[in-house]
DNA sequence: GTGACAATCTGTAACGTTTCAGTGTATTGA
DNA sequence: TCAATACACTGAAACGTTACAGATTGTCAC
């Protein structure tokens, strides 16, 4: 009996958190055996394995994350990197929920790593990589030539991007088909007789800005409608600015009779601007907008909406990173989400 | 020269992450000395201290979190516990940003711990406590008699609640003065001639439901207005349900001529319901609503709003938890945020 | 010159885990 | 009978950190 040998301090103690040592003592085995039994290693006898796992379950053993992390370097952490000021609000919580859903029955934790406007977006990524704080990273506001993606690709850090890049490099992503969205929006507007369309774009510099612009332009020429330039603002601008610019635009003679807007909050401003100019939605002008929660049709029943599901995006992104960590091929972890139909008010 | 003694594997290696051992080698000191020098221990010579800190800064030393955590039990993690389905969306991201701001220049990380409707809200807390996953916890959806608060208080886990409890126990919190909000809203409505008011309440069971109801009731009798009961829904209900119930209510003869709404999203539904019943905002009925982002006035210019700053709440909560961890008295870490004035459309 | 005492510095052990290199025992083949 | 081999298990070491209990100086009083 090597009991008296082993228990120099542990065991008896009231109710500490159980460790491998505790399990080893209870089962009469060595810590090594217990460790391997718990992870179904082949060199452990079937009965022993079952026995250890039973006891572990009974006493609610949970591996100490710090121990594992120190020994193996595995953090069991997925980091979601967010821009503190720019990210559209509802977007964030939906993504978080989506990620959470997927992560829920894995050993992974979600940590939110913020960065602010003043910082280089690469900063938080560098921090994560240098300190080895995460096994996987999710980034958004993806650019065609994204230094963050390049950086992580170089160091072999698993990551997924919300939005595609365009660097000829393969990595996991999830993206909404903004080309299709813009094109569909234009077709719909043309279908209800609108000929002079304006586009409120995503932030210049982000990949989906290009997609949106292209979809818009291609569909314009397809349906033979024309563009009214509206480049002075993007959805990143403040509500006030968008509103003001829209009002300015709508007071001109060559004003558009249709709008395509890439974000719900911005659409509120566009509509306000339209009304500031004394025009009426649905009569003088129609607006197709993306939205992520089902609220725009309450705002103005005349609004035309296309839904983008950010919760889904979060889930897909989480799945991708986990897949990549699990050794799947990056190319197999890319997904697109297609826009639904343009929907008019169904009330 | 004990160099040749020490470097059995380390040092030479291309560019591993520096550890205390690396620093010890570079400075010619022992790891213990380096460790203490970095934390300004008094028994280290002033010059040595400076020297070590200089070198550490130069090579970008950062303590290994797993090492610290394993040795000391300190996780340097603050956990924000969120209900995956119920939490109002914009709320979440604002809180997260608020917390992030405060946490940014501390060694703390923010982890988001979700739980879903099906679960006992205590589950995630138990998990955090049992696995020792966080040094501090922030919870929301606080109840008057909150089992989570009680649980953490019992085990001495530092936490702060968004919203107060009412158990006679002292703990850090941040709360918006919903009593004052409801009372002010009522006074304002009375001031513009509204006499029959309805209240769309916070979720029953949460502490601020009571606060809101009380503020509403007290102000009603103060101004001599009367209440039109509207208890069938709360802001937790779906947009559709709130809308339907509002419409029902507004079609009755004894309909209210004023509404107080505790959340912006719900207000959209209330307004939709009002209009479904063929009534007009500002003429037949006025609505005072809380909002957390400045969007409601775009929705309907007739809306009356009171702003609640969730980013501030996040910051305050983070400050509180950090303060508590730092040893401050819980009673000194309680804060209230007062509602601003009821603002009409300033367009 | 000795003992006491600061002032600095140091090695060892421990936190919980996994990996490496075994150890012992039974089974097999010859 | 002996070696070879498979099987089931084990101790020691290591990950990076900090706490504990010294160790090595030099200074000072006597």
């Amino acid at each position: 009996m090597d009991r008296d040998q082993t228990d120099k301090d542990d065991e008896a103690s009231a109710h500490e958190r159980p460790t491998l040592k505790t399990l080893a003592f209870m089962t009469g085995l060595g810590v090594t055996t217990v460790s391997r039994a718990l992870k179904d290693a082949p060199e452990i006898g079937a009965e022993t394995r079952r026995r250890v796992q039973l006891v572990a379950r009974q006493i609610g053993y949970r591996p100490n994350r710090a121990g594992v992390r120190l020994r193996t370097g595995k953090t069991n952490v997925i980091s979601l990197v967010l821009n503190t000021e720019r990210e559209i609000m509802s977007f964030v919580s939906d993504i978080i929920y989506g990620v959470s859903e997927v992560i829920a029955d894995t050993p992974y934790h979600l940590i939110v790593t913020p960065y602010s406007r003043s910082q280089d977006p690469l900063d938080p990524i560098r921090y994560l990589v240098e300190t080895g704080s995460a096994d996987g990273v999710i980034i958004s506001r993806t650019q065609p030539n994204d230094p963050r993606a390049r950086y992580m690709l170089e160091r072999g850090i698993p990551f997924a991007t919300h939005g595609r890049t365009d660097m000829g490099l393969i990595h996991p992503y999830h993206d909404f088909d903004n080309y299709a969205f813009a094109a569909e929006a234009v077709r719909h507007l043309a279908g209800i007789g609108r000929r002079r369309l304006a586009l409120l774009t995503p932030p210049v510099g982000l990949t989906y800005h290009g997609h949106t612009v292209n979809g818009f332009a291609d569909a314009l020429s397809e349906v033979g409608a024309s563009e009214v330039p509206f480049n002075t603002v993007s959805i990143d601008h403040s509500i006030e600015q968008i509103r003001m610019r829209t009002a300015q635009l709508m007071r001109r003679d060559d004003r558009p009779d249709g709008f395509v807007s890439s974000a719900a909050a911005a659409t509120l401003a566009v509509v306000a601007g339209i009304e500031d100019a004394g025009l009426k939605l649905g009569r003088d002008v129609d607006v197709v907008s993306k939205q992520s929660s089902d609220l725009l049709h309450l705002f103005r029943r005349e609004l035309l909406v296309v839904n983008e599901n950010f919760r889904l995006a979060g889930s897909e992104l989480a799945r991708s990173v986990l897949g990549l960590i699990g050794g799947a091929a990056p190319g197999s972890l890319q997904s697109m989400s297609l826009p639904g139909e343009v929907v008019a008010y169904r009330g």
Side-chain angles (χ1 to χ4, degrees), chain A:
Chain A
M1 317 234 176
D2 46 17
R3 273 189 210 169
D4 303 358
Q5 216 179 87
T6 321
D7 67 344
K8 49 178 168 189
D9 48 356
D10 210 335
E11 331 314 355
S13 58
H15 228 55
E16 292 297 300
R17 192 171 154 206
T19 71
L20 287 182
K21 204 161 137 207
T22 321
L23 282 178
F25 173 69
M26 295 182 74
T27 55
L29 297 164
V31 281
T32 306
T33 311
V34 173
S35 172
R36 316 189 84 159
L38 287 176
K39 42 176 59 68
D40 283 320
E43 59 266 68
I44 302 296
E47 196 206 306
T48 306
R49 193 155 52 205
R50 269 200 316 271
R51 195 159 61 89
V52 171
Q53 292 178 354
L54 175 70
V55 177
R57 218 173 313 117
Q58 288 292 330
I59 66 172
Y61 167 78
R62 291 177 181 274
N64 178 309
R65 307 187 120 234
V68 176
R69 178 164 171 181
L70 182 56
R71 178 66 236 246
T72 65
K74 183 134 212 284
T75 61
N76 283 311
V77 160
I78 301 294
S79 170
L80 177 63
V81 181
L82 293 177
N83 182 310
T84 309
E85 4 260 322
R86 290 311 224 335
E87 310 274 12
I88 301 143
M89 292 300 172
S90 71
F91 159 84
V92 168
S93 47
D94 272 331
I95 292 243
I96 287 179
Y97 287 152
V99 173
S100 296
E101 263 169 37
V102 171
I103 263 180
D105 25 44
T106 73
Y108 285 89
H109 281 181
L110 170 64
I111 96 173
V112 173
T113 307
Y115 67 99
S116 56
R117 78 181 148 244
S118 50
Q119 273 176 45
D120 182 349
L122 201 47
D123 278 358
I125 310 291
R126 274 205 214 91
Y127 169 82
L128 288 173
V129 173
E130 282 170 10
T131 61
S133 293
D135 296 336
V137 176
I138 297 174
I139 61 175
S140 61
R141 297 186 68 84
T142 308
Q143 303 173 14
N145 187 335
D146 198 298
R148 300 166 301 170
R150 194 181 295 282
Y151 180 87
M152 290 190 279
L153 224 34
E154 274 166 9
R155 342 249 139 176
I157 268 263
F159 72 99
T161 62
H162 186 215
R164 283 162 287 173
T165 58
D166 187 16
M167 316 182 284
L169 298 175
I170 295 172
H171 60 83
Y173 63 75
H174 177 83
D175 203 358
F176 179 80
D177 191 340
N178 287 285
Y179 179 95
F181 155 70
E184 268 309 312
V186 167
R187 286 189 204 104
H188 188 95
L189 288 170
I192 57 177
R194 302 302 185 182
R195 316 304 303 169
R196 309 181 33 74
L197 309 183
L199 172 65
L200 179 57
T201 68
V204 182
L206 305 194
T207 315
Y208 83 114
H209 173 269
H211 295 149
T212 308
V213 167
N214 290 342
F216 184 75
D218 288 358
L220 273 186
S221 65
E222 174 190 320
V223 302
S226 68
E227 168 169 16
V228 179
F230 190 39
N231 310 319
T232 46
V233 282
S234 77
I235 59 171
D236 250 12
H237 287 78
S238 74
I239 295 293
E240 289 73 26
Q241 278 189 300
I242 298 174
R243 178 178 186 169
M244 195 188 66
R245 295 292 180 190
T246 306
Q248 277 176 7
L249 181 69
M250 297 310 285
R251 281 194 251 265
R252 285 171 19 193
D253 293 336
D254 60 341
R255 64 163 180 259
D257 57 5
F259 266 95
V260 177
S261 166
S262 288
T267 301
L268 301 187
V270 167
V271 171
I274 289 170
E275 293 173 353
D276 287 346
L279 301 173
K280 189 165 164 9
L281 202 61
R283 186 191 63 193
D284 305 308
V285 58
D286 275 300
V287 177
V288 178
S289 173
K290 262 206 298 190
Q291 70 172 0
S292 59
S293 54
D294 221 17
L295 296 176
L296 278 182
H297 69 273
L298 291 176
F299 175 59
R300 294 286 184 274
R301 64 183 61 208
E302 297 84 2
L303 276 174
L304 306 163
V305 298
V306 174
N307 288 297
E308 175 170 7
N309 188 340
F310 283 119
R311 200 176 275 228
L312 173 70
S315 298
E316 285 301 312
L317 288 166
R319 248 186 282 278
S320 293
V321 196
L322 293 184
L324 192 56
I325 292 172
S332 69
L333 299 168
Q334 306 175 327
S335 62
M336 292 288 298
S337 154
L338 296 176
E341 301 216 310
V342 176
V343 281
Y345 179 63
R346 57 266 176 85

